[in-house]
Amino acid sequence: MGAQHETLAFQAEVKQLLHLMIHSLYSNKEIFLRELISNASDACDKLRFEALHDGALLADDPDLRIRVAYDKAARTITVSDNGVGMSREEVVANLGTIARSGTREFFAKLSGDQAKDANLIGQFGVGFYSGFIVARKITVLTRRAGSEAAVRWESAGEGEFSIDAAEKPGRGTDVILELREGEDDLLSTWRLKSIITKYSDHITLPIVMRKEEWDKDKNEYVTKDEDETVNQATALWTRSKNDISEEQYHEFYKHVSHDFEAPLAYTHNRVEGRQEYIQLLYVPARAPFDLYDRERKHGIKLYVRRVFIMDDAEQLMPQYLRFVKGVIDSNDLPLNVSREILQESRDVKAIREGCTKRVLSLLEDLAGGDEEAQKEKYAKFWKEFGRVLKEGVGEDFTNKERIAKLLRFATTRADTDEETVSLADYVGRMKEGQDKIYYVTAETFLAAKNSPHLEVFRKKGIEVLLLSDRVDEWMVSHLTEFDGKALVSVAKGDLDLGKLEDETEKKERESAEGEAKDLVEKIRKALDARVKDVRVTHRLTDSPACLVADEHDMSGNLARLLKAAGQKAPESKPILEINPRHPLVTRLKYEEAKFDDWSHLLFDQALLAEGGQLEDPAGFVKRMNEMLLAMTLAGK
């Protein structure tokens, strides 16, 4: 019999999830059956895959199926499968813990608002634990394929569970739900069948129940000693699109993704040619909590001729489309294909390229719609997944132009970072004579919007892209032009406005440079250790000074991002640009005694304005106080 009785505590996160789930998801309680059937289907898929390498696992019971039964007297519902089953160690790992990235972030986002939390819990995926929505106690009896040992797991969902050695005649898992008071409406063939038809009709395995027939003499339904299949039991993706309703597409998405919310969009196609395969791909409505973990598993299930091969086949979708969920079913790959073979296969590369283009086409259709509902859909997509899509600019050279057209950016015309425009929109409303696309990068939207580098652009009414996502610095290093227009940082190099600057302005600038020549040289000498150069600004109209990166140097924002990530940034000094028309700079000419201190103060102010950190905050405060005191005494 092996190890005997043992009582263990749930992981703390499981306790929290159970409490929230029971209260937040009760209004949609029937999803428990969908989740348990989905788990049973996965268990059968895993057994079929393992049997490719060990046919003996299937030998005694080759017809995989799921059974749903109920017992009115005992007030129980049982969901059974003859799939892979679980060992004692697997039971503890799978039914006692939540082992997934993003868990901490998930619980941090919960607000206590049941309606809002229901969406979050559904998005997180609750699987087996959803049984506690309707059950006061759950018993799991399971036996691993290839093993003689069985395990019984029991819990009332209140902090702990017990595990015992048990006996079970065959492999697979039985999940027995002892219903709470008031849930007797579920103890009905008609009710259970209707839930299965609604949520699980697409399951490829037969879902069987005992057949019922009307007995005229007894005036009631009588259960027969024979089974009937209550779902279509065919792979949904192999059916004609005309035979599949939108609701069925949505329910299948919820099955493959374990998401509670309907997808934002989907595409279903049969590809023929050198490779033949079917793709059914979905764009979710919400981002998972671990989306920005590039090591996370992907959401593509791989089948070969309707036989499940593997979950999370990351080789079939590029990293920047890792949010895509769905199924790819190939006619050409070998049944014993491994992850290593997938990595090197030319056929897989062709499938990956085809699926990438199909997803981009789907996004282009969303982005190109004129209807308000379609615009809202793409805005929702961009809010959830825009930062990840930006990664594609540097990762997918073949599709870089297509991806660039799908990008959206906040600009100086926007009040919030959710008001975005495409690069095509930006180019379409560029000022006459403008031949560049201007952008500024910063750590936050407000820092970008209030950057002093934008002053001359605001004065001239020139729109500037406001880039505040961490990925933006990396993205613009690869996206150097769009529609023949160079992308130019307003905080790098010597600003050249070209035809946007008239002759009068050029003469005024040259005059200012000449007048400030001695002052510039003096400041350069005072700040020799901190700056690469000092020069008169073309950018500022209101601020006294700003820092600029040399044309080929790393921007200050990128250097700060690397430092925050624990990486070393190459050493480079900024250029200080001064505004000789500003009163502080004008006053500097007459401060011989404090000239060096005030020069450092100008530099520190410029550093703070662009989001940098001071090396000597106390020195800055001391200089600032001295300057304020001097101005006060001077009657300023």
Side-chain angles (χ1 to χ4, degrees):
M1 292 282 287
Q4 298 301 308
H5 182 80
E6 191 176 7
T7 299
L8 301 170
F10 280 121
Q11 178 190 25
E13 287 86 351
V14 175
K15 295 180 192 176
Q16 190 176 353
L17 180 64
L18 285 170
H19 176 77
L20 288 163
M21 184 180 57
I22 291 166
H23 293 88
S24 299
L25 297 183
Y26 185 77
S27 61
N28 191 25
K29 63 184 180 182
E30 60 189 23
I31 56 92
F32 83 91
L33 190 55
R34 177 189 76 192
E35 294 294 302
L36 295 182
I37 289 174
S38 184
N39 286 351
S41 172
D42 289 346
C44 290
D45 278 344
K46 287 172 184 172
L47 176 62
R48 189 182 279 153
F49 177 65
E50 289 189 14
L52 293 175
H53 307 280
D54 184 1
L57 295 175
L58 271 175
D60 61 337
D61 190 10
D63 298 324
L64 298 174
R65 63 198 172 277
I66 300 165
R67 181 184 298 279
V68 177
Y70 67 93
D71 183 329
K72 275 191 174 181
R75 300 187 69 255
T76 61
I77 293 173
T78 302
V79 179
S80 305
D81 67 72
N82 60 342
V84 72
M86 289 181 282
S87 65
R88 187 183 187 95
E89 292 74 21
E90 288 171 324
V91 167
V92 173
N94 295 337
L95 305 186
T97 62
I98 306 172
R100 58 178 289 176
S101 58
T103 303
R104 185 177 299 173
E105 292 84 351
F106 162 70
F107 284 108
K109 287 192 176 185
L110 292 170
S111 63
D113 183 321
Q114 287 189 12
K116 290 179 181 176
D117 287 350
N119 283 333
L120 286 169
I121 293 168
Q123 181 193 353
F124 185 72
V126 292
F128 167 78
Y129 299 118
S130 63
F132 284 106
I133 300 172
V134 298
R136 69 178 189 84
K137 185 175 85 170
I138 297 180
T139 302
V140 177
L141 185 62
T142 185
R143 175 176 153 189
R144 188 71 163 80
S147 170
E148 296 297 321
V151 181
R152 176 183 285 104
W153 178 100
E154 280 190 350
S155 178
E158 294 176 349
E160 62 183 28
F161 57 90
S162 66
I163 294 187
D164 295 272
E167 292 186 357
K168 189 177 186 299
R171 66 165 193 263
T173 301
D174 303 333
V175 180
I176 305 154
L177 309 177
E178 190 175 316
L179 297 182
R180 297 177 184 276
E181 292 298 323
E183 302 297 346
D184 295 54
D185 66 306
L186 292 167
L187 299 169
S188 149
T189 299
W190 175 85
R191 181 82 168 96
L192 293 174
K193 275 186 181 180
S194 68
I195 295 173
I196 292 168
T197 303
K198 179 178 179 182
Y199 292 115
S200 305
D201 195 50
H202 52 76
I203 296 291
T204 57
L205 299 164
I207 303 171
V208 301
M209 293 186 70
R210 286 293 188 211
K211 198 170 185 178
E212 279 191 348
E213 289 184 359
W214 182 256
D215 188 314
K216 291 181 180 178
D217 297 331
K218 293 183 178 180
N219 199 35
E220 62 181 23
Y221 281 101
V222 176
T223 302
K224 297 291 184 179
D225 193 20
E226 60 180 297
D227 290 336
E228 65 173 337
T229 301
V230 296
N231 65 322
Q232 291 203 35
T234 59
L236 177 134
W237 61 88
T238 64
R239 287 150 53 186
S240 167
K241 288 191 277 189
N242 296 330
D243 296 336
I244 308 172
S245 68
E246 185 167 273
E247 184 179 13
Q248 288 173 319
Y249 273 122
H250 287 182
E251 289 307 326
F252 183 73
Y253 163 75
K254 293 172 185 176
H255 164 66
V256 297
S257 68
H258 298 287
D259 191 354
F260 279 23
E261 197 169 349
L264 196 64
Y266 59 87
T267 179
H268 182 194
N269 299 278
R270 185 182 298 272
V271 180
E272 296 176 340
R274 194 166 73 84
Q275 286 86 31
E276 292 190 0
Y277 60 94
I278 299 169
Q279 51 186 206
L280 176 51
L281 305 172
Y282 294 90
V283 174
R286 293 181 189 274
F289 294 94
D290 52 356
L291 179 67
Y292 300 106
D293 176 5
R294 288 174 59 87
E295 300 303 314
R296 69 182 288 273
K297 292 182 180 294
H298 288 42
I300 302 298
K301 289 178 180 282
L302 174 63
Y303 288 75
V304 174
R305 295 185 290 281
R306 263 57 77 206
V307 176
F308 172 77
I309 301 299
M310 69 181 72
D311 271 319
D312 312 314
E314 68 272 13
Q315 296 88 345
L316 297 172
M317 198 65 68
Q319 276 278 359
Y320 71 93
L321 296 179
R322 59 186 177 272
F323 52 84
V324 175
K325 308 284 186 184
V327 164
I328 293 171
D329 190 345
S330 169
N331 276 344
D332 303 313
L333 293 174
L335 275 172
N336 63 348
V337 66
S338 67
R339 292 186 185 274
E340 289 71 30
I341 293 172
L342 284 181
Q343 196 73 43
E344 299 169 2
S345 167
R346 289 178 60 193
D347 290 338
V348 168
K349 184 180 179 185
I351 293 173
R352 174 188 172 108
E353 289 172 354
C355 290
T356 299
K357 288 176 180 176
R358 179 59 61 179
V359 173
L360 292 178
S361 293
L362 181 62
L363 296 178
E364 285 165 351
D365 289 343
L366 272 183
D370 293 327
E371 295 179 10
E372 200 58 38
Q374 208 162 353
K375 289 180 180 178
E376 288 177 9
K377 267 192 174 184
Y378 194 74
K380 186 174 184 180
F381 162 79
W382 184 256
K383 183 180 178 182
E384 297 292 327
F385 303 108
R387 277 182 281 176
V388 175
L389 189 65
K390 287 177 181 178
E391 295 173 12
V393 171
E395 291 179 0
D396 188 351
F397 180 78
T398 302
N399 294 300
K400 183 163 81 169
E401 289 186 13
R402 293 183 72 180
I403 297 166
K405 291 176 182 177
L406 291 168
L407 303 181
R408 298 292 182 267
F409 301 98
T411 78
T412 44
R413 292 192 183 186
D415 292 322
T416 71
D417 58 353
E418 292 186 15
E419 298 174 52
T420 58
V421 300
S422 67
L423 290 174
D425 289 337
Y426 177 97
V427 170
R429 62 197 197 196
M430 278 170 39
K431 292 184 74 69
E432 186 177 350
Q434 183 180 346
D435 60 358
K436 299 180 182 69
I437 298 171
Y438 294 103
Y439 69 87
V440 63
T441 59
E443 290 189 56
T444 66
F445 170 75
L446 282 177
K449 188 175 177 62
N450 295 320
S451 170
H453 299 94
L454 300 176
E455 290 176 5
V456 72
F457 294 91
R458 284 209 175 88
K459 179 183 177 183
K460 290 180 169 293
I462 302 168
E463 190 172 16
V464 179
L465 305 179
L466 305 177
L467 310 184
S468 55
D469 290 337
R470 289 197 166 194
V471 69
D472 286 335
E473 288 277 7
W474 183 80
M475 178 196 68
V476 293
S477 70
H478 293 88
L479 186 64
T480 55
E481 65 93 27
F482 179 83
D483 194 23
K485 311 288 191 300
L487 269 74
V488 175
S489 169
V490 302
K492 287 188 76 173
D494 193 6
L495 182 63
D496 179 12
L497 293 176
K499 295 178 182 178
L500 296 171
E501 187 177 41
D502 60 33
E503 288 302 317
T504 303
E505 289 172 320
K506 288 179 183 177
K507 287 179 180 177
E508 288 178 355
R509 176 160 53 84
E510 289 169 2
S511 173
E513 288 174 355
E515 292 172 8
K517 187 176 180 181
D518 292 342
L519 179 62
V520 164
E521 184 56 40
K522 202 172 177 184
I523 297 173
R524 187 183 291 126
K525 190 176 293 185
L527 298 176
D528 180 59
R530 302 183 75 183
V531 298
K532 190 172 198 174
D533 195 8
V534 178
R535 65 191 182 205
V536 171
T537 188
H538 309 164
R539 301 164 220 265
L540 303 178
T541 59
D542 304 317
S543 300
C546 69
L547 297 182
V548 177
D550 207 357
E551 186 68 40
H552 301 293
D553 285 350
M554 181 179 290
S555 72
N557 184 57
L558 179 54
R560 286 188 293 276
L561 288 175
L562 290 175
K563 187 176 180 181
Q567 300 179 41
K568 192 170 182 179
E571 290 293 329
S572 62
K573 296 178 183 178
I575 296 167
L576 177 69
E577 291 191 351
I578 62 166
N579 177 3
R581 305 278 191 262
H582 193 280
L584 282 180
V585 178
T586 303
R587 176 67 184 268
L588 194 57
K589 297 176 184 177
Y590 310 107
E591 289 295 332
E592 290 295 331
K594 294 291 183 181
F595 186 90
D596 285 6
D597 281 348
W598 281 34
S599 295
H600 281 280
L601 193 58
L602 271 184
F603 181 94
D604 288 342
Q605 283 183 326
L607 182 62
L608 288 172
E610 69 161 30
Q613 286 189 319
L614 300 175
E615 291 182 8
D616 180 15
F620 169 77
V621 172
K622 182 181 178 182
R623 293 187 192 106
M624 177 66 77
N625 288 340
E626 287 176 351
M627 184 190 75
L628 291 173
L629 182 61
M631 286 188 163
T632 300
L633 294 174
K636 296 291 185 182

